[in-house]
Amino acid sequence: MERLAQTIVDGIADGSLYAALALALVLIFRTTGVVNFAQGEMAMVSTFVAWSLLEAGLPLGAAIAVALAFAFVLGMAVERIVIRPVEGRGPLTLAIVTLGLYILLNSAAGWIWGFNNRGFPSVFPSDSLSVGGVDIAVESLGIVVVLLVVVAALFLLLERTRIGLALRAVSTNPESARLCGISVGRTLMVGWGLASVLGALAGVLIAPRIFLDPNLMGGVLIY
């Protein structure tokens, strides 16, 4: 029974990590209609940025915060430089572009950081809690709590803020949103930035459970 409870909690934690990357994919798809095959690689690059900052002596929390900020800028830059020039060209063109970005980021990460496996520290302690005689890892509980907080924050952002209203308007009808005075291009950049942050968050939570390398998010993205 104890083994079953532990397996269930660990499974929910792993599912939460998949859900974080899935949220990033859905956020972009709902606002732009683009399936971003490079989403995992963007998360991987941001995770490597956090690792590099750790190696430079920055505390873990500060390194992750800077990496998330980098991910936001990276997402906006990808939308502005890579996606916008081919906007409206059809799903096949967009798929090819994002697959090309996937290859570019994967190769660039290997060139910069190498293809060796690296360890990445967890933001949660390695302790376990005893609940009803069942030992549950603090890391697993922490991952679930983080995702619940992220989902709640994303809901409030989309439902209770002006930028959230703009994102929903652009995803529903970009032309009407533009006629209402909404800057569609800027809104899409913010949407890509937010999606990149969600992916990066998944990356820094997944890396401690497996090894950090340029193929970190490949399996996660496929699932």
Side-chain angles (χ1 to χ4, degrees):
M1 189 63 184
E2 294 180 3
R3 179 67 175 174
L4 175 63
Q6 179 67 62
T7 302
I8 290 174
V9 173
D10 288 342
I12 293 174
D14 289 340
S16 299
L17 296 174
Y18 293 125
L21 188 62
L23 280 173
L25 289 166
V26 169
L27 184 59
I28 290 178
F29 182 75
R30 287 297 303 272
T31 53
T32 65
V34 177
V35 178
N36 183 18
F37 291 101
Q39 191 70 59
E41 302 311 285
M42 293 167 63
M44 174 270 296
V45 169
S46 298
T47 306
F48 262 114
V49 169
W51 177 84
S52 298
L53 293 172
L54 281 172
E55 291 294 299
L58 228 62
L60 178 60
I64 291 177
V66 174
L68 294 180
F70 169 83
F72 186 77
V73 175
L74 175 63
M76 292 195 299
V78 166
E79 194 282 330
R80 183 66 183 87
I81 299 171
V82 179
I83 301 300
R84 194 175 301 184
V86 294
E87 187 179 2
R89 298 288 182 86
L92 181 59
T93 300
L94 292 169
I96 292 173
V97 167
T98 57
L99 284 171
L101 182 61
Y102 170 97
I103 296 171
L104 174 64
L105 292 176
N106 186 274
S107 300
W111 178 63
I112 296 171
W113 291 289
F115 289 93
N116 297 327
N117 293 333
R118 295 171 173 82
F120 191 90
S122 174
V123 297
F124 305 106
S126 58
D127 302 333
S128 60
L129 299 176
S130 181
V131 181
V134 178
D135 290 331
I136 300 176
V138 172
E139 182 184 30
S140 297
L141 290 176
I143 290 172
V144 174
V145 170
V146 166
L147 182 71
L148 291 175
V149 171
V150 167
V151 170
L154 190 59
F155 173 81
L156 292 175
L157 175 71
L158 293 176
E159 297 291 333
R160 298 288 188 268
T161 65
R162 292 176 62 87
I163 186 61
L165 179 61
L167 282 168
R168 289 188 289 123
V170 169
S171 67
T172 302
N173 194 320
E175 293 302 325
S176 296
R178 187 176 286 109
L179 291 173
C180 291
I182 297 173
S183 176
V184 173
R186 188 180 303 170
T187 302
L188 292 178
M189 286 178 64
V190 171
W192 275 75
L194 290 173
S196 184
V197 170
L198 290 174
L201 181 62
V204 298
L205 292 176
I206 289 172
R209 301 173 77 89
I210 56 179
F211 290 109
L212 174 60
D213 66 12
N215 299 312
L216 169 71
M217 302 296 284
V220 179
L221 183 66
I222 290 173
Y223 289 139

